[in-house]
Amino acid sequence: MAQGTADIETLIELLSKLPGLGPRSARRAVLHLVKKRKTHLSPLAEAMTTVAQTARECLNCGNIGTADICPICEDTRRENGELCVVEDVADLWAMERAAVFRGRYHVLGGTLSALDAVGPDELRIPKLIDRISSEHINEVILALSATIDGQTTAHYIADQLGDVKVTSLAQGVPVGGELDYLDDGTITAALKARRTM
Amino acid sequence: MAQGTADIETLIELLSKLPGLGPRSARRAVLHLVKKRKTHLSPLAEAMTTVAQTARECLNCGNIGTADICPICEDTRRENGELCVVEDVADLWAMERAAVFRGRYHVLGGTLSALDAVGPDELRIPKLIDRISSEHINEVILALSATIDGQTTAHYIADQLGDVKVTSLAQGVPVGGELDYLDDGTITAALKARRTM
Ligand SMILES: [Zn+2]
Ligand SMILES: [Zn+2]
């Protein structure tokens, strides 16, 4: 089934595997891109190549950046003794969009899950414990999803951390809600009303 | 608002402008791609670069390919005297997926529209008239949308073409329906039941 050429079919195939896209929207996207070769396709191809060559996980916090240590971990103004623990980079970005938290982050990369056999070592929890002392953290804010796995993970971490103050986002996070779906106002309210665990 | 780095933000920005994607799905897609750098992002970046460098419109029919003349126009087995006129490359692809038409195509690039000031010259209609004699066409199949503009365009073309037999897709195309949304079976039925205009 020849639709265009092998190169264009390969592009459609790869785009259709992105979350949220399917074969039909991938075809639409490629037709759009081919029509806008100069103004959209070329810059997009360039941006992808750059990110493919440079993107990596921050060795300290798990955020995505283009160096071994991400801009947030490099920024000494964010060394305020507060550490916000999130499940995923998408949640870190959601927090940054709310622009209300001025400390640093720790990205777990998921939640504890007996079902999926995800244990503490898979979640950068040992690294989190290291950071509490090496970065002189005096408050750990658990910004985890209000799901069963999220809350199990929050309680597990609170138990591990010993003396440091541990708080969690509370007011405003709907039950069963995932952080990345919330608007900025809700995140701001939840952070301001955080409670000690 | 630093979310990652400038390169990653540029990529999100460009992806969010694709039809069917928005800022949120673009962020999700980029996170997915960065996690799958080797297996998904690098091949996608490469495919985009290749298509950006090579894709162009076929000088004969308006299909998209990687040479001045597309594979369908190059294929002498498709020189069967039948020419299928479609609005857009997406419609040509939909016809090819149905795999029922064995002739060649002519992509108009839209429909006549008084409102949008689209006239015959914008639609490759002069080139269509040339092709009738130069390619010894004995049947022109108008596979246009069952919209008012689509049908206006069909009647205009039928009037211009003179002696050649002009048919149109009929049975199976729902009123107001656009070709690219139809399943293969409907397209097959519509082609088989085509009527003389
Ligand atoms: Zn970092
Ligand atoms: Zn062609």
Side-chain angles (χ1 to χ4, degrees):
Chain A
M1 183 172 55
Q3 43 180 42
T5 68
D7 291 336
I8 292 171
E9 282 171 56
T10 301
L11 180 55
I12 293 169
E13 170 80 12
L14 287 166
L15 270 180
S16 71
K17 287 181 185 153
L18 285 179
L21 283 176
R24 180 162 202 288
S25 43
R27 287 194 299 267
R28 289 259 149 202
V30 167
L31 280 176
H32 165 92
L33 286 171
V34 170
K35 280 178 194 159
K36 311 267 178 188
R37 279 192 291 291
K38 292 274 188 306
T39 56
H40 201 167
L41 178 53
S42 294
L44 183 56
E46 232 172 87
M48 281 203 173
T49 304
T50 306
V51 171
Q53 287 164 352
T54 60
R56 69 195 80 178
E57 284 181 352
C58 173
L59 295 176
N60 196 45
C61 75
N63 185 18
I64 285 169
T66 50
D68 282 345
I69 302 297
C70 78
I72 294 173
C73 286
E74 288 283 15
D75 186 350
T76 52
R77 288 167 304 177
R78 302 197 64 147
E79 202 170 50
N80 68 354
E82 293 179 7
L83 190 64
C84 179
V85 176
V86 292
E87 288 171 26
D88 212 335
V89 174
D91 300 327
L92 186 161
W93 289 356
M95 291 290 298
E96 285 295 283
R97 287 198 300 279
V100 64
F101 176 70
R102 304 309 306 155
R104 285 188 181 147
Y105 294 94
H106 194 74
V107 180
L108 295 176
T111 50
L112 291 175
S113 166
L115 224 65
D116 302 326
V118 178
D121 289 356
E122 276 81 48
L123 293 186
R124 293 198 188 86
I125 291 178
K127 177 73 185 171
L128 170 61
I129 293 167
D130 284 352
R131 291 183 68 191
I132 304 297
S133 52
S134 67
E135 297 185 34
H136 310 291
I137 300 302
N138 45 50
E139 179 177 357
V140 173
I141 300 165
L142 300 177
L144 303 179
S145 295
T147 57
I148 291 175
D149 280 347
Q151 294 311 300
T152 304
T153 308
H155 286 291
Y156 176 86
I157 293 174
D159 284 348
Q160 298 296 305
L161 294 186
D163 272 354
V164 70
K165 181 180 175 191
V166 181
T167 59
S168 69
L169 298 193
Q171 226 179 31
V173 181
V175 172
E178 291 182 314
L179 209 68
D180 187 32
Y181 284 80
L182 299 181
D183 61 291
D184 301 353
T186 308
I187 290 180
T188 303
L191 186 83
K192 289 196 170 143
R194 65 189 184 266
R195 58 187 164 74
T196 305
M197 285 190 78
Chain B
M1 181 172 57
Q3 42 180 43
T5 67
D7 291 336
I8 291 171
E9 280 170 58
T10 301
L11 180 55
I12 292 169
E13 171 80 9
L14 287 166
L15 269 181
S16 72
K17 285 180 187 154
L18 284 180
L21 283 175
R24 177 160 206 288
S25 42
R27 288 194 298 269
R28 289 260 149 201
V30 168
L31 280 176
H32 165 91
L33 286 171
V34 170
K35 279 178 196 160
K36 311 267 179 186
R37 279 192 291 293
K38 293 273 188 306
T39 58
H40 200 166
L41 178 52
S42 294
L44 183 57
E46 232 171 87
M48 281 202 174
T49 303
T50 306
V51 171
Q53 287 165 352
T54 62
R56 69 194 79 176
E57 284 180 353
C58 173
L59 295 177
N60 195 45
C61 76
N63 185 18
I64 285 168
T66 52
D68 283 345
I69 303 297
C70 77
I72 294 173
C73 288
E74 288 283 16
D75 187 349
T76 51
R77 287 167 304 178
R78 302 196 65 147
E79 202 170 49
N80 67 355
E82 293 179 7
L83 190 64
C84 180
V85 175
V86 293
E87 288 171 26
D88 211 338
V89 175
D91 299 329
L92 186 162
W93 290 357
M95 290 291 296
E96 286 294 283
R97 286 197 300 280
V100 66
F101 176 69
R102 303 310 305 155
R104 285 187 180 145
Y105 294 94
H106 195 74
V107 180
L108 295 177
T111 50
L112 292 175
S113 166
L115 224 66
D116 302 326
V118 179
D121 289 355
E122 275 81 48
L123 293 187
R124 294 198 188 85
I125 290 177
K127 176 73 186 168
L128 170 62
I129 293 167
D130 285 350
R131 290 184 69 191
I132 306 296
S133 53
S134 69
E135 297 185 34
H136 311 290
I137 300 302
N138 46 50
E139 180 177 356
V140 173
I141 300 166
L142 302 176
L144 303 178
S145 296
T147 57
I148 290 175
D149 280 346
Q151 294 311 300
T152 303
T153 308
H155 286 292
Y156 176 85
I157 292 175
D159 284 348
Q160 298 296 304
L161 293 186
D163 271 354
V164 71
K165 181 180 174 189
V166 180
T167 59
S168 69
L169 298 191
Q171 226 180 31
V173 182
V175 173
E178 290 182 314
L179 210 68
D180 187 31
Y181 283 80
L182 299 182
D183 60 289
D184 301 351
T186 306
I187 289 179
T188 302
L191 185 84
K192 288 195 171 145
R194 65 189 184 267
R195 57 187 166 74
T196 305
M197 283 189 81

